[in-house]
Amino acid sequence: MHLDPHTMSDRSDDDNDTSLLTATKPKTKRPPLYKVLLLNDDFTPMEFVVHVLERFFGLNHAQAFEIMLTVHKKGLAVVGVFSHEIAETKVAQVMDFARRHQHPLQCTMEKEE
């Protein structure tokens, strides 16, 4: 096979382009996302958890029920992934709502890796 020097020089240009792209990528990176988690406890009624998921996370009954079962069986479940601000708001809303209903339901957030 005949290697055209011109093609080879094009190839090295491409390499330079990709290294440039990689170097500038962090600036265009999207802000980190946060997972919102519901934690299991032995006191919060299952119906209340389902209601919280429908109300604050816009899930339908079947989706909410599924996640509630996951929380119940595994001890926790990710209920959504949001920007920092929205995740923080959801956690606060859930915690506030649970407290007002005298339930010890815990909702937390962690940075998505």
Side-chain angles (χ1 to χ4, degrees):
M1 184 179 155
H2 173 71
L3 277 179
D4 178 7
H6 183 71
T7 319
M8 290 186 73
S9 71
D10 275 359
R11 258 196 212 126
S12 66
D13 283 354
D14 284 352
D15 287 349
N16 290 346
D17 288 349
T18 40
S19 64
L20 268 176
L21 276 174
T22 334
T24 54
K25 229 180 207 152
K27 286 179 194 151
T28 57
K29 208 166 67 171
R30 289 188 316 167
L33 291 173
Y34 290 79
K35 296 185 283 201
V36 173
L37 305 139
L38 272 190
L39 310 182
N40 189 41
D41 66 76
D42 296 330
F43 307 101
T44 306
M46 290 182 171
E47 301 77 45
F48 183 78
V49 176
V50 170
H51 179 66
V52 161
L53 290 166
E54 292 172 342
R55 178 171 177 158
F56 298 107
F57 298 93
L59 301 175
N60 66 35
H61 190 75
Q63 292 168 322
F65 194 79
E66 198 62 38
I67 288 179
M68 176 276 294
L69 279 182
T70 305
V71 173
H72 182 66
K73 288 179 196 154
K74 297 194 173 157
L76 60 85
V78 175
V79 292
V81 179
F82 310 95
S83 68
H84 187 272
E85 208 174 322
I86 292 172
E88 221 170 33
T89 304
K90 299 261 183 212
V91 168
Q93 286 174 328
V94 171
M95 294 295 285
D96 182 55
F97 190 67
R99 263 193 304 264
R100 275 186 289 143
H101 289 81
Q102 271 110 46
H103 295 308
L105 184 66
Q106 293 294 306
C107 185
T108 61
M109 60 191 267
E110 63 181 42
K111 197 169 177 178
E112 195 174 45
E113 293 310 321

